[in-house]
Amino acid sequence: MFRREHWADSIEHAWERRSLVWLTGVRRAGKTVLVKSLPDVRYLDCELPSVRRALADPESFLAATRGQRLALDEVHRLPDPAELLKIATDHFPDTHIVATGSSTLQAADRFRDSLAGRKEELWLTPMNEADRAAAGGSLEQRLERGGLPASYLAGLPESDVQEWLDAYWSRDIQELFRLERRSSFQRLVEMVLARSGGIFEATAFAGPIEASRPTVSNYLSVLELTKVAHVITPYSRNRSNELTRAPKVYGFDTGFVCVLNGWTASRPDDAGVLWEHYVLNELQSTPGVGKIQYWRTTKGAEVDFVLDRRGRPPIAIECKWRVDGRESLGGLNAFRRAYREGASFVVAPVVEPSFDRGLAGKARVRYTDLTGVVQSLT
């Protein structure tokens, strides 16, 4: 396994702001390995009966570990995790805790209310560019195998995808949501992953999964909460020619998208779509980028991603698998005619060196790689 320095540093920075860090992420994203890798941290697996017994009296346990750095893994296995974490933040602020658990736990009202304003949330996305550099391997390998560390290193056969989907249903969904129609829900998951990156219209999914439109919308909310699907809403400032209500939905991992579509990064058309997914993943793993949206007009002009940072001009990002500086940039030009202020980027896997090009009016666009975009945003 490889060291994920980006995420270890992110936990350290979060601890500077609050004593409790809630580390979330999909199943097999690498949460356990990450917290075990942190220096001077006492690791406790809350799935073990002996650990649950030690934590049965939270006040006594925290008094005995005052000032330590603790990793409470699978904390949702405790009878009342919110009580323990609340006592820790309120009465033992010199004890630093990183807690992991089912992503569904944060949906529980008691958990949300008890820890409101007391925790820093950190979302461990599938492997980003820093992780790939640490692990080695090519970009094409990352796109095809996905960003779950074990799958990236060993490969992602179709059987592993089905095993993951089964565990997601039985250990994540049923613990809190208790949905009854497994076949309909899992069919929606598969369809969302297979159609990843497209406009989501609930009616188009209702028939194939044999569920009502409201049920489809409810299922999508569950997928979004558990980080299995990412809902990207349109950017608009109430202009009559802009889409305002049609979200795009992306699956959580390029490897799963590849398996369910039969895609490979060796085919340019497939690689271009997967690259867009990978850019989104990188933006999601970068702090302070703002709200990630997309832009489209009723006439079809589109920009892949727009970063809406409160009080500042929007940043436009167009994803290209290959560039030579002569690409059609109709979407970016249309966007900059409507929104004159703000930086624009065309991001490709390889741009050596970075360069600028003119857009509509006096606007300019920066051609760069993913590292260049991230450095410009942070």
Side-chain angles (χ1 to χ4, degrees):
M1 193 56 71
F2 52 92
R3 174 89 174 157
R4 303 180 78 176
E5 294 287 353
H6 169 87
W7 299 104
D9 290 345
S10 295
I11 293 174
E12 296 288 350
H13 292 322
W15 267 336
E16 293 174 1
R17 296 185 290 272
R18 296 191 189 276
S19 61
L20 172 62
V21 176
W22 174 253
L23 182 66
T24 188
V26 299
R27 180 169 301 280
R28 300 181 190 170
K31 299 185 292 294
T32 296
V33 173
L34 175 61
V35 298
K36 281 184 173 181
S37 74
L38 299 172
D40 303 319
V41 169
R42 179 180 174 184
Y43 173 81
L44 298 119
D45 183 353
C46 297
E47 286 195 315
L48 298 177
S50 60
V51 172
R52 293 199 295 272
R53 287 195 297 271
L55 298 175
D57 183 347
E59 188 174 354
S60 296
F61 172 80
L62 291 166
T65 56
R66 184 187 291 272
Q68 295 185 24
R69 291 152 56 105
L70 307 174
L72 302 181
D73 201 10
E74 302 289 336
V75 73
H76 61 287
R77 301 298 179 189
L78 300 178
D80 191 351
E83 179 189 35
L84 168 67
L85 299 176
K86 183 176 182 295
I87 292 172
T89 57
D90 290 354
H91 301 286
F92 299 89
D94 56 338
T95 299
H96 287 75
I97 296 175
V98 55
T100 82
S102 171
S103 56
T104 59
L105 177 62
Q106 60 193 325
D109 290 339
R110 183 173 182 181
F111 184 83
R112 284 204 315 267
D113 295 344
S114 297
L115 298 180
R118 292 182 169 93
K119 69 182 185 303
E120 282 284 321
E121 289 192 21
L122 181 61
W123 171 18
L124 180 62
T125 69
M127 292 167 55
N128 62 8
E129 190 71 347
D131 295 327
R132 185 178 71 84
S138 67
L139 173 61
E140 288 80 2
Q141 179 178 318
R142 165 61 180 84
L143 297 182
E144 287 189 25
R145 295 185 176 185
L148 304 186
S151 299
Y152 177 75
L153 295 173
L156 184 64
E158 188 174 355
S159 59
D160 283 4
V161 171
Q162 187 57 54
E163 180 186 349
W164 189 97
L165 292 172
D166 291 341
Y168 171 61
W169 169 263
S170 61
R171 301 199 63 186
D172 289 334
I173 299 304
Q174 288 300 292
E175 282 181 0
L176 182 64
F177 298 104
R178 302 193 182 281
L179 302 180
E180 295 180 354
R181 300 182 61 188
R182 173 174 179 166
S183 61
S184 292
F185 181 79
Q186 289 208 328
R187 177 58 180 148
L188 179 67
V189 176
E190 293 173 0
M191 289 182 67
V192 164
L193 292 169
R195 301 182 184 184
S196 184
I199 298 290
F200 186 89
E201 172 49 56
T203 302
F205 290 82
I209 74 167
E210 299 181 338
S212 66
R213 190 180 189 283
T215 297
V216 171
S217 297
N218 178 53
Y219 285 177
L220 180 63
S221 297
V222 172
L223 295 180
E224 185 177 21
L225 179 64
T226 55
K227 309 296 189 186
V228 170
H230 310 309
V231 178
I232 308 298
T233 57
Y235 179 88
S236 177
R237 290 296 176 264
N238 298 316
R239 296 173 183 269
S240 61
N241 68 333
E242 295 176 340
L243 297 191
T244 60
R245 298 185 180 219
K248 293 174 71 173
V249 175
Y250 289 81
F252 75 101
D253 184 63
T254 58
F256 281 60
V257 172
C258 280
V259 168
L260 290 170
N261 282 294
W263 288 356
T264 68
S266 61
R267 292 169 45 184
D269 288 348
D270 297 345
V273 177
L274 295 170
W275 172 244
E276 183 178 321
H277 285 64
Y278 190 56
V279 172
L280 174 61
N281 185 82
E282 190 73 19
L283 294 173
Q284 291 168 329
S285 72
T286 303
V289 301
K291 184 177 182 180
I292 304 172
Q293 298 182 279
Y294 81 100
W295 182 78
R296 181 181 288 181
T297 69
T298 54
K299 293 184 178 181
E302 183 173 350
V303 172
D304 291 330
F305 301 117
V306 174
L307 307 184
D308 185 8
R309 303 201 285 183
R310 189 174 302 173
R312 288 182 282 179
I315 294 174
I317 298 175
E318 189 71 13
C319 307
K320 300 288 187 183
W321 183 242
R322 296 281 186 264
V323 295
D324 60 12
R326 294 174 291 180
E327 295 76 23
S328 173
L329 300 180
L332 280 175
N333 275 300
F335 184 79
R336 283 305 168 205
R337 279 193 290 268
Y339 302 96
R340 298 183 180 276
E341 301 295 326
S344 300
F345 296 94
V346 170
V347 56
V350 179
V351 184
E352 295 178 349
S354 299
F355 62 93
D356 292 345
R357 176 181 164 187
L359 288 176
K362 297 181 180 180
R364 306 286 293 176
V365 58
R366 182 72 169 171
Y367 279 70
T368 188
D369 60 15
L370 202 48
T371 301
V373 170
V374 171
Q375 290 176 344
S376 299
L377 297 176
T378 57

